[in-house]
Amino acid sequence: MHNLAPEELKVITRSVMLILDNWGLESEQIVAVLGLSSGTRKRQLDKYRSSQAFPVDANLLKRLEHIIGISDALRTTFPRNQNMASGWLNTKHRRFNDQTPLEIMMKEGTPGLSKIRSELDCTYAWSEN
């Protein structure tokens, strides 16, 4: 994902923003999950939704990869009701010490995204165990 053409990064940016919007995330939550500067404003997020690509940053690209992987796993887990994805992300789970997956992703950053992806997609975490 590190050798993306500018147009490819624009497509990925719009796709990830659509995923985050479909999950029902607020602007502050989107900023936290993406690891963007806390000063990132809604106007900048709107640019990402429409025309501007995310900045090229290794950590951000890794987060995008995890978000796409989580989205794919949620689509497989809840194939008949995509609204369940948002519900799952906002439900406290015993496996996460009674925190929501969204809280884990926001608080722990890239490792948190990896943790949630590993929980949902056994093929992703297969080589790590």
Side-chain angles (χ1 to χ4, degrees), residues 34-79:
L34 292 173
L36 300 174
S37 164
S38 60
T40 303
R41 302 204 183 269
K42 185 181 182 313
R43 186 176 339 153
Q44 182 62 45
L45 296 178
D46 289 340
K47 288 180 183 178
Y48 292 143
R49 286 181 181 96
S50 61
S51 62
Q52 190 174 3
F54 288 127
V56 177
D57 172 80
N59 184 46
L60 178 57
L61 292 175
K62 191 65 175 169
R63 287 175 186 245
L64 299 179
E65 185 180 319
H66 285 310
I67 291 166
I68 292 167
I70 291 167
S71 176
D72 287 345
L74 285 169
R75 194 171 35 258
T76 301
T77 303
F78 305 110

Side-chain angles (χ1 to χ4, degrees), residues 79-126:
R80 294 197 170 126
N81 188 347
Q82 292 302 304
N83 294 327
M84 291 293 295
S86 178
W88 187 86
L89 289 168
N90 289 291
T91 300
K92 292 182 180 187
H93 297 274
R94 192 174 31 149
R95 292 184 114 157
F96 303 128
N97 296 321
D98 288 325
Q99 295 181 73
T100 68
L102 180 57
E103 288 171 329
I104 299 291
M105 292 187 291
M106 290 173 54
K107 290 178 187 173
E108 297 182 19
T110 306
L113 285 160
S114 178
K115 182 186 295 184
I116 301 307
R117 185 175 179 189
S118 296
E119 179 68 25
L120 287 166
D121 183 357
C122 64
T123 62
Y124 167 72
W126 186 263

